[in-house]
Amino acid sequence: MTVRRDFQEPARCRPDLVIGREGVFGQAREQLARGGSVLLHGPAGIGKSTVLRALAAENGGAARTVLRCSATESESHLPFLALADLLGLALDEVSGKLPAAQLTALESALTGRGESTLQRDGLALRLAVLSALRALAAEGPVLIVADDVQWLDSASSELLGFAARRLGDTPVRMLCAVRTEGQEYDRHLRASPPDTLALRVNPLTRAQVSELLGHRGYTGLPRSTVRDIHRTSGGNPLFALELGRALGESPTPPRPGEPLPVPTSLRTLVLNRLEMLSEEARRTLLVVSAGARPTPALLHAAGRENAEAETAQAAALGLLATDPEGPAVRFAHPLISAALYAEAPAHERRAAHAALSKAASDPIERARHLALATTGTDQDTANSLAEAAALARDRGAPSVAASLGLLAARHTPADGTPEPDARRLQAAEDAITAGELDLARDIAHDVLTRATVPADRVRAWIIVIDTAGHAMTEVDSVFPQALADAGDDPGLLALIHYQLTWRALLVDGDFDQAREEAAHSAALAERAGDRYNELMALAFQAQIETLMGHPDAPATIKRALKEPQDPRVACHHNGAGYSRFRWLIMSDQLAEARATVTALLREVRRTGAVESEVHFLRGVAETELRSGHCGRALDLARESLLLARDTGIGEVASCVLTSLGEASGGDVGRALELAHEAVEHAERDGDQMYVSRALAALGYAQLVAGDAEATVRSLRRVRELEHGLGITDPARGRWQGDLAEALVRIGELREAQDVIQVTRTQALRLGRESVLAVLDRAEALLRAARGEHEAALAQLTSVQDRLAKLGHGLEEARTAFALARLRPRRPGSTSYDEAARLFRRCRALPWLSQVDAATAEPAGTPERPAPAPTADALEGLEGLASMERQVAALVMEGATNREIAARLFISVKTVEATLTRVYRKLGIRSRVDIVRLAAGRRTK
């Protein structure tokens, strides 16, 4: 047995691997598990070797023999070197199984003691490699691991390819990695078996680069800096880590608009080819690197008369690539541009920007280049930059506006008008809009170190509070300082009391106090003549009243929508438009809710308001989920979660919604993971409101997973939390029906009835029709558990019709499923067809799997809960066989069939067959009845 030491150790690189490589790793794992081979390809530094090592470590244990080679460029001219790495240690094991001529040729090639060549011993060598692999495979599976296949010596590559194409069903798998710049990996497949799966390792996303940097210890980097690292590295993890290291070693971080420090290692990597360019061509490339999307025409206008010839020379050296979508000149990799710019002397960079400031036609670009060409303060330059920032803001580019605003502040004289700090605060507010919270917070703290004007100080405090998000406990000390700075100014006090509304809601969980703070903020803003903040406070008050089920909610919404309006409020995620959307969706007006939130999303995408975009994406996703469009809802929820993780905005809320989407239309395991993550995050932040929302999502995922007892535990906590918060509108979380259903499943019928009655009273008062329908479904299941079978069927039929008319597609399908489970089934019965059709229409895959499982169960009896357990049935528990008792015991604990199979080391089919015997012996019909029997035995 030949197992190299490297592959007997755990995959130390695995924590890095999962960052952005889950898809590639999963596909490769499945291919290897099927007995196939894998070829990983991609550019240098993209992470192929990391994936290769982890896959080898994971699969090495299943192979009897692991053969490895890792070629290098400097050794690629040495014949048979890779073959010696692969088979050198295995030669003694196979020597007795090879024909003499093959063994002689192979020994000569591997040891160098003879004059073996492919020309002289070609056939013998080829057959010897094939025979050696077959001999090893005869003793057990073989895994060949080859890194940097592009550097394999030609002789080894030819021999390996010959054997690979002829292995057939022999248990030999190959796991290889090859460096490619494009898709030119086909020629490397010649050295792999015919069934090899080629997988490209792609660049990381910005969020993945951020996670990678944090994992390697480069923490605390502002999101704007991470964005620059991602852009400069092109998503290449090696380049990103080198840039992160350079930043960590730099005594002062670069200011906005300044280039990242490019370490010597990367400069050397990308700048060697620049030495082959003429001096004039290098200057032209510097102008290209200083520009945004330079064209030949722009280069001519900037004084580069021979731009075409000079860029063609650079393209021939692989430094430039022509943009296929237009005439713009672009670098082959962003790092080339960054290294070139960083290498240039400061005066040459200023000269390039000065030329572009005159050549650029866009006013934003002209202003940016003028600023970068100017040293010191200059009021005219500062004013041009401020005007450009306002234009960028209007164009929906808040990140650009923030960068230009900071440049404007830097060039504003100390006695300028407006003052530098006022421009910095505007830049911070633009950064918040763009989702760059770290940058905004840093700017605000910088201003607070020297600002004396109360308005500036309060404005900076509000920015600090805003950037805390839902973790408001972290900024508790800010409020007294902000109130002291505000004095008795009603306009400034209105801003602070608006933030105190959030604190009362998130930290204290006090809806009454939050409503009072919002109303007070609106009154203060009205007194100050601040219509914007008055409307924001009224909209927030309306949202709180809607959640409380307060009768004044519709009237407050009307006040918030009353003219005159402020366009900045109309599309704000805390504005009246969103308050109206929440009221519409809670009132079952799904079509109007969808139209409202879709229009809001369209507008904020135009303006670039990232935080509002995250909110409205969730709003559209929630509407689609309520309507039963689970696939569409899941796509939108995943998009919102990706954006939330990328910006650090609304992560808990997006986790909650994505969990609901996964449980309804995706992966239940993933739904459980996201819900647990949301609960932990909300509890850590002290966010009482979202702790309850996260627990509600967790309870739903547990219900879909078949864990009724866990569902009850989670949703009981939600009930306690919402009672303490003062939330009385059941349409806020819609968890009450799930709790009642889970209580029925575990035999807690009295508590289920209580949940239904209390919630029904609240829903009737507020006219929540869909909530009432779902409660009636739970009541029907309760009736069935009590033996009122016909009444339950009639009630469910009515509920399904009502939910269909309301447009709640998923709840309609769930009701059809409940109906099917209560109806008697006979061989050939189609009682589940309607439920399956409705779940397919919703693309509710987890629920459809439950239908498939139910259909596979033996026919002949109705699938309704049995009446109270009899004495004979209780005694029957003692008469079960050992395996049957173990399975029944795990069912009593709430375990699913898959969980039981894993814990008892048996198949799911064996669990199902065992349960069928348990049902027959005990005279019961379902898992619920086992739980009820256990409950009856405990009370005897």
Side-chain angles (χ1 to χ4, degrees):
M1 176 177 177
T2 306
V3 180
R4 296 290 297 269
R5 190 181 191 86
D6 312 52
F7 303 116
Q8 293 175 330
E9 298 176 354
R12 296 170 182 165
C13 54
R14 186 60 190 272
D16 289 352
L17 168 67
V18 298
I19 300 173
R21 302 304 181 211
E22 298 88 348
V24 168
F25 192 86
Q27 292 181 69
R29 173 191 281 157
E30 291 177 7
Q31 173 75 355
L32 292 167
R34 290 192 294 265
S37 297
V38 173
L39 176 69
L40 304 167
H41 63 97
I46 204 67
K48 304 179 299 299
S49 296
T50 300
V51 178
L52 181 98
R53 285 194 297 269
L55 284 168
E58 182 174 280
N59 288 271
R64 177 185 178 273
T65 305
V66 179
L67 309 174
R68 179 180 185 245
C69 70
S70 184
T72 63
E73 184 177 10
S74 62
E75 299 171 339
S76 60
H77 66 286
L78 299 173
F80 306 119
L81 183 61
L83 189 66
D85 284 342
L86 286 171
L87 294 177
L89 296 178
L91 184 59
D92 289 343
E93 184 177 349
V94 301
S95 59
K97 303 171 185 178
L98 300 183
Q102 293 181 20
L103 179 60
T104 300
L106 185 59
E107 284 181 335
S108 178
L110 296 184
T111 62
R113 288 197 293 267
E115 292 293 330
S116 180
T117 66
L118 276 180
Q119 287 74 23
R120 192 182 72 182
D121 302 317
L123 182 59
L125 268 175
R126 288 174 171 84
L127 293 175
V129 173
L130 179 60
S131 299
L133 292 176
R134 284 174 173 167
L136 291 170
E139 302 299 323
V142 175
L143 177 64
I144 298 174
V145 183
D147 199 1
D148 285 318
V149 169
Q150 75 277 2
W151 303 131
L152 285 184
D153 63 274
S154 58
S156 297
S157 180
E158 169 64 25
L159 293 170
L160 198 59
F162 176 87
R165 292 188 294 272
R166 289 164 176 80
L167 285 168
D169 294 333
T170 306
V172 176
R173 297 170 295 166
M174 293 185 67
L175 174 58
C176 305
V178 62
R179 181 188 302 179
T180 57
E181 293 302 325
Q183 295 289 331
E184 69 281 7
Y185 59 87
D186 289 352
R187 64 188 182 89
H188 298 291
L189 288 173
R190 291 198 298 268
S192 304
D195 66 342
T196 298
L197 175 65
L199 294 171
R200 182 167 181 80
V201 183
N202 289 313
L204 300 178
T205 66
R206 189 199 307 179
Q208 291 161 352
V209 165
S210 177
E211 188 178 354
L212 176 64
L213 290 167
H215 176 72
R216 288 298 184 90
Y218 304 121
T219 56
L221 294 173
R223 291 184 185 277
S224 55
T225 301
V226 174
R227 179 195 61 201
D228 290 342
I229 290 175
H230 176 255
R231 183 180 63 245
T232 303
S233 68
N236 185 298
L238 173 64
F239 297 169
L241 288 170
E242 284 295 296
L243 290 167
R245 182 180 60 78
L247 276 169
E249 294 174 353
S250 176
T252 56
R255 295 184 296 182
E258 291 183 345
L260 293 174
V262 180
T264 304
S265 59
L266 294 185
R267 291 193 195 190
T268 303
L269 180 67
V270 300
L271 294 180
N272 286 339
R273 284 171 287 179
L274 285 174
E275 296 177 0
M276 303 173 67
L277 290 175
S278 65
E279 187 63 29
E280 289 302 310
R282 290 189 65 169
R283 287 179 181 169
T284 295
L285 288 197
L286 179 59
V287 176
V288 174
S289 70
R293 285 178 60 83
T295 63
L298 180 65
L299 294 175
H300 276 291
R304 309 312 302 166
E305 297 178 356
N306 299 315
E308 287 88 350
E310 289 161 353
T311 55
Q313 182 187 1
L317 292 172
L319 296 167
L320 289 180
T322 304
D323 192 334
E325 298 179 359
V329 179
R330 63 181 178 87
F331 285 92
H333 192 281
L335 189 61
I336 300 173
S337 175
L340 173 64
Y341 191 89
E343 189 77 6
H347 71 276
E348 289 187 9
R349 283 186 279 183
R350 287 197 297 272
H353 285 296
L356 286 168
S357 71
K358 299 173 183 175
S361 58
D362 184 81
I364 293 177
E365 276 300 292
R366 282 202 306 271
R368 185 177 76 87
H369 288 303
L370 180 61
L372 295 172
T374 305
T375 58
T377 59
D378 181 82
Q379 187 68 54
D380 291 337
T381 299
N383 291 342
S384 296
L385 285 162
E387 291 169 6
L391 182 58
R393 198 176 303 119
D394 291 342
R395 288 182 180 178
S399 180
V400 175
S403 178
L404 291 169
L406 287 175
L407 286 172
R410 189 188 310 169
H411 287 285
T412 301
D415 57 352
T417 304
E419 294 181 349
D421 279 346
R423 283 178 164 158
R424 289 188 181 94
L425 291 171
Q426 178 61 64
E429 289 164 357
D430 286 329
I432 289 176
T433 302
E436 298 178 5
L437 304 185
D438 294 336
L439 175 61
R441 186 185 304 111
D442 290 344
I443 295 170
H445 281 301
D446 176 51
V447 170
L448 284 166
T449 61
R450 58 179 173 274
T452 57
V453 178
D456 287 348
R457 291 189 62 79
V458 171
R459 193 175 171 190
W461 288 127
I462 296 300
I463 290 168
V464 171
I465 295 169
D466 270 344
T467 56
H470 284 207
M472 297 199 77
T473 53
E474 297 177 2
V475 292
D476 262 349
S477 62
V478 167
F479 288 100
Q481 300 176 73
L483 287 167
D485 284 330
D488 57 1
D489 186 316
L492 298 179
L493 288 170
L495 298 174
I496 300 168
H497 281 281
Y498 180 82
Q499 297 294 341
L500 284 169
T501 305
W502 279 106
R503 191 193 179 286
L505 197 65
L506 300 178
V507 178
D508 298 332
D510 190 334
F511 274 64
D512 289 321
Q513 178 64 29
R515 179 173 176 267
E516 290 177 13
E517 290 285 2
H520 186 41
S521 175
L524 286 166
E526 182 182 19
R527 202 167 85 204
D530 184 349
R531 184 62 172 162
Y532 171 80
N533 284 300
E534 179 190 0
L535 292 171
M536 289 293 293
L538 284 171
F540 199 5
Q541 181 184 342
Q543 285 197 49
I544 295 166
E545 290 173 348
T546 299
L547 291 173
M548 295 173 70
H550 198 285
D552 289 350
T556 307
I557 290 175
K558 286 182 181 178
R559 284 181 63 199
L561 291 170
K562 188 178 179 180
E563 296 293 341
Q565 284 291 309
D566 186 309
R568 294 173 295 167
V569 178
C571 295
H572 196 282
H573 55 277
N574 288 320
Y578 195 67
S579 298
R580 182 169 178 272
F581 159 72
R582 296 261 24 118
W583 185 80
L584 287 168
I585 198 170
M586 292 172 72
S587 302
D588 297 317
Q589 300 180 52
L590 297 182
E592 194 171 353
R594 181 187 291 109
T596 299
V597 74
T598 301
L600 290 170
L601 178 60
R602 188 184 307 117
E603 181 60 20
V604 298
R605 280 178 163 166
R606 186 189 68 78
T607 61
V610 175
E611 185 170 7
S612 293
E613 182 179 356
V614 173
H615 276 74
F616 297 154
L617 270 171
R618 289 199 302 267
V620 179
E622 183 181 354
T623 310
E624 297 293 354
L625 195 59
R626 298 279 171 242
S627 303
H629 305 148
C630 299
R632 170 72 174 151
L634 182 55
D635 290 342
L636 288 163
R638 286 171 174 169
E639 185 181 350
S640 81
L641 181 58
L642 184 63
L643 187 58
R645 292 200 193 284
D646 197 17
T647 60
I649 294 173
E651 289 186 69
V652 174
S654 292
C655 274
V656 167
L657 188 63
T658 309
S659 173
L660 293 170
E662 292 283 3
S664 298
D667 182 334
V668 180
R670 178 64 176 152
L672 291 166
E673 290 174 10
L674 287 168
H676 280 297
E677 178 186 340
V679 171
E680 292 169 8
H681 198 152
E683 288 178 335
R684 186 169 64 248
D685 289 346
D687 184 344
Q688 296 300 306
M689 189 167 67
Y690 266 99
V691 169
S692 71
R693 288 197 171 192
L695 284 168
L698 177 60
Y700 175 66
Q702 289 164 334
L703 183 70
V704 178
D707 193 344
E709 290 192 350
T711 300
V712 169
R713 287 194 298 271
S714 297
L715 297 184
R716 277 174 176 164
R717 280 192 64 196
V718 177
R719 181 173 55 182
E720 294 168 4
L721 283 168
E722 293 202 353
H723 178 73
L725 290 167
I727 297 174
T728 59
D729 192 335
R732 183 253 187 179
R734 299 176 184 268
W735 49 266
Q736 295 84 353
D738 290 339
L739 174 56
E741 181 176 334
L743 287 166
V744 171
R745 288 190 189 183
I746 66 171
E748 298 288 350
L749 307 187
R750 183 174 299 177
E751 186 181 349
Q753 183 68 66
D754 179 64
V755 170
I756 292 168
Q757 288 175 346
V758 171
T759 309
R760 181 177 283 141
T761 300
Q762 297 167 340
L764 283 168
R765 177 176 63 85
L766 297 166
R768 303 308 192 208
E769 292 298 327
S770 63
V771 174
L772 289 167
V774 169
L775 290 172
D776 284 352
R777 181 179 68 210
E779 187 173 56
L781 297 174
L782 179 61
R783 286 181 169 181
R786 289 171 171 165
E788 303 171 28
H789 185 59
E790 295 305 321
L793 287 173
Q795 191 169 16
L796 285 173
T797 302
S798 171
V799 167
Q800 184 179 347
D801 182 58
R802 288 156 58 195
L803 288 168
K805 289 177 180 177
L806 289 169
H808 284 256
L810 181 58
E811 298 296 351
E812 177 194 358
R814 286 181 61 180
T815 309
F817 187 33
L819 262 171
R821 294 186 73 87
L822 290 183
R823 286 176 175 146
R825 285 197 302 124
R826 298 174 180 83
S829 169
T830 60
S831 60
Y832 284 102
D833 286 358
E834 173 72 357
R837 181 185 69 80
L838 291 174
F839 281 135
R840 277 195 297 270
R841 185 182 69 181
C842 295
R843 219 184 91 183
L845 304 181
W847 288 104
L848 193 59
S849 296
Q850 291 194 31
V851 174
D852 292 340
T855 305
E857 292 174 2
T861 58
E863 298 186 49
R864 60 180 183 272
T870 64
D872 289 342
L874 290 170
E875 292 173 3
L877 286 171
E878 307 300 330
L880 296 176
S882 174
M883 176 62 73
E884 293 165 352
R885 282 199 305 274
Q886 291 181 66
V887 170
L890 290 171
V891 168
M892 293 173 193
E893 294 177 11
T896 65
N897 286 2
R898 189 175 299 278
E899 290 168 342
I900 294 170
R903 290 172 66 175
L904 297 181
F905 302 100
I906 58 178
S907 70
V908 174
K909 288 188 177 298
T910 301
V911 174
E912 293 168 351
T914 304
L915 279 174
T916 300
R917 292 195 301 273
V918 170
Y919 297 159
R920 186 173 63 250
K921 288 183 177 181
L922 298 181
I924 60 176
R925 302 183 181 94
S926 70
R927 300 166 61 93
V928 174
D929 299 334
I930 295 179
V931 175
R932 190 176 292 106
L933 285 173
R937 191 166 69 170
R938 286 195 295 268
T939 57
K940 285 190 68 177

